[in-house]
Amino acid sequence: PILRAEHTGLSEQAEYSAEEFRAAEAALSQQRQAAEEARRGYQESLFAQREIVNKINEIETSIQRLSASISSLEASIGEAEGDLSGYDETPWQEQLQGMLETRVARETALAAARDEVEAKETQLRELDQQRMGFEAKLAPLRERIHEVSLKEQEARMTEEQYGQQLL
């Protein structure tokens, strides 16, 4: 019985130790998993940090290029403004004004010429209508002249016939 009691005590102790071992193993597994996740998270954060640093470097490079471009453009604008301030546009303005005056004078002359052409066309239409009226009046006169001419010819022929009959 003592051995049995000792055996039962030892079995319980072994079972308790096995449970503690399993619990310790489970806790160790959880800690390993947590450590692995922490390591993975750390690596991801290092990768993200490298990407961010690369992006920052790219942006800084772009900013430097843009700054150089802006400086170059500002210098070009300064040169262009200097060149522009050196130009005197007065002769161009005078020439432009002269050309505008010439244009106005030509447009006025053109308008007058158009008015004159229109007046001549109106006059021509009136003369054409008069001519047509005269031609319309001449037609009966021509017919009358033709008739008289035929009668005169007939009278001559009759006269000649009488003249031959008398002979």
Side-chain angles (χ1 to χ4, degrees), residues 31-42:
Q31 286 181 356
R32 283 182 181 159
Q33 191 174 8
E36 181 62 28
E37 286 176 12
R39 185 187 62 75
R40 202 173 312 130
Y42 176 72

Side-chain angles (χ1 to χ4, degrees), residues 35-140:
E36 181 62 28
E37 286 176 12
R39 185 187 62 75
R40 202 173 312 130
Y42 176 72
Q43 286 178 345
E44 287 175 3
S45 66
L46 283 178
F47 179 74
Q49 181 184 11
R50 272 188 246 124
E51 280 189 10
I52 290 170
V53 167
N54 287 339
K55 289 284 183 190
I56 289 172
N57 290 337
E58 287 176 17
I59 291 171
E60 286 176 349
T61 303
S62 294
I63 288 172
Q64 288 172 353
R65 272 189 263 130
L66 289 173
S67 293
S69 293
I70 289 171
S71 297
S72 174
L73 289 173
E74 286 174 345
S76 295
I77 289 171
E79 285 179 31
E81 286 175 346
D83 290 347
L84 185 60
S85 68
Y87 289 122
D88 181 19
E89 64 183 55
T90 305
W92 297 104
Q93 289 293 335
E94 291 170 359
Q95 186 178 6
L96 178 61
Q97 190 61 38
M99 292 172 130
L100 288 173
E101 290 170 3
T102 302
R103 178 180 176 190
V104 168
R106 287 180 180 169
E107 286 177 352
T108 303
L110 180 62
R114 284 183 180 153
D115 290 343
E116 189 176 331
V117 165
E118 188 176 324
K120 295 293 181 185
E121 285 176 347
T122 302
Q123 194 177 22
L124 181 62
R125 275 192 296 276
E126 289 171 357
L127 289 174
D128 219 16
Q129 287 175 352
Q130 282 180 349
R131 181 188 56 82
M132 288 170 53
F134 290 147
E135 284 179 4
K137 289 178 184 177
L138 282 176

Side-chain angles (χ1 to χ4, degrees), residues 7-23:
H7 177 33
T8 306
L10 286 175
S11 284
E12 285 176 5
Q13 198 176 13
E15 199 174 300
Y16 177 74
S17 293
E19 277 182 39
E20 278 187 8
F21 178 74
R22 281 191 291 270

